């Protein structure tokens, strides 16, 4: 897991070839004006999801993991609290892994909580269980999905 500000995005380009494309998209001058929805950056290898959603309470949410994609979750507006726990520590699956949607949920509670403010991002790898969208207000964010096998 990584938490940082957008200006430092280039530091992470060496992790995966998709990071350069992801941060180029996140640096668009019109990012705040994009309508909610899915945006292809490089087919299914790198794509973005723009979302405007009401925050939820910690108790209403579940940890999630992805096996095929890395998430870069960039906050545009609102303060988003996120939970984290190592996937290997998760003991309470709330169902089976769904390969079509690349997601599995867990009823475990996160080991750590942190808040991501506008202009900052969190990166979650497949070994990171994460719990996003905790807030008392609305959240405007972009999640860039980077396929592990895409680079």
């Amino acid at each position: 897991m990584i938490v940082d500000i957008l200006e430092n995005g280039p530091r992470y380009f060496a992790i995966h070839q998709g990071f350069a494309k992801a941060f180029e998209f996140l640096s668009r001058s019109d990012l705040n004006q994009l309508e909610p929805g899915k945006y292809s950056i490089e087919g299914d290898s790198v794509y973005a999801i723009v979302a405007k959603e009401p925050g939820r309470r910690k108790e209403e949410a579940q940890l999630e993991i992805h096996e095929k994609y890395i998430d870069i979750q960039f906050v545009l507006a609102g303060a988003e609290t996120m939970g984290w726990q190592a996937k290997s520590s998760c003991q309470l699956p709330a169902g089976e892994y769904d390969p079509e949607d690349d997601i599995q949920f867990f009823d475990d509670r996160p080991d750590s909580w942190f808040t991501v403010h506008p202009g900052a991002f969190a990166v979650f790898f497949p070994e990171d269980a994460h719990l996003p969208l905790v807030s008392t207000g609305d959240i405007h964010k972009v999640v860039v999905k980077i396929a592990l096998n895409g680079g």
Side-chain angles (χ1 to χ4, degrees):
M1 179 192 67
I2 297 167
V3 179
D4 207 339
I5 58 173
L6 186 61
E7 291 80 13
N8 293 332
R11 293 180 183 249
Y12 306 103
F13 288 5
I15 293 174
H16 186 288
Q17 75 177 27
F19 273 60
K21 294 174 184 76
F23 283 105
E24 180 181 340
F25 183 87
L26 293 173
S27 298
R28 290 174 56 149
S29 61
D30 66 342
L31 198 60
N32 280 309
Q33 285 75 48
L34 295 179
E35 291 295 320
K38 183 176 177 179
Y39 293 82
S40 177
I41 299 170
E42 190 174 90
D44 287 336
S45 294
V46 183
Y47 65 90
I49 301 167
V50 176
K52 290 183 179 179
E53 300 183 46
R56 54 190 177 175
R57 297 182 338 192
K58 290 178 180 179
E59 302 78 28
E60 298 171 334
Q62 294 175 305
L63 283 163
E64 61 185 62
I65 60 103
H66 311 292
E67 293 184 7
K68 299 175 187 172
Y69 286 90
I70 299 166
D71 276 7
I72 301 176
Q73 300 201 14
F74 177 65
V75 177
L76 292 167
E80 180 178 5
T81 298
M82 299 181 189
W84 175 88
Q85 180 168 311
K87 175 185 171 183
S88 60
S89 297
C90 292
Q91 301 294 314
L92 303 170
E96 296 296 317
Y97 170 72
D98 179 345
E100 178 140 342
D101 290 332
D102 186 37
I103 197 161
Q104 182 176 10
F105 293 101
F106 292 87
D107 287 330
D108 300 77
R109 300 318 300 160
D111 289 334
S112 302
W113 292 96
F114 56 93
T115 301
V116 181
H117 295 278
F121 63 88
V123 179
F124 298 106
F125 298 93
E127 60 270 15
D128 297 316
H130 54 285
L131 192 157
L133 293 172
V134 174
S135 179
T136 57
D138 291 337
I139 300 167
H140 185 191
K141 69 189 288 185
V142 179
V143 178
V144 178
K145 308 286 276 184
I146 301 172
L148 288 174
N149 65 3

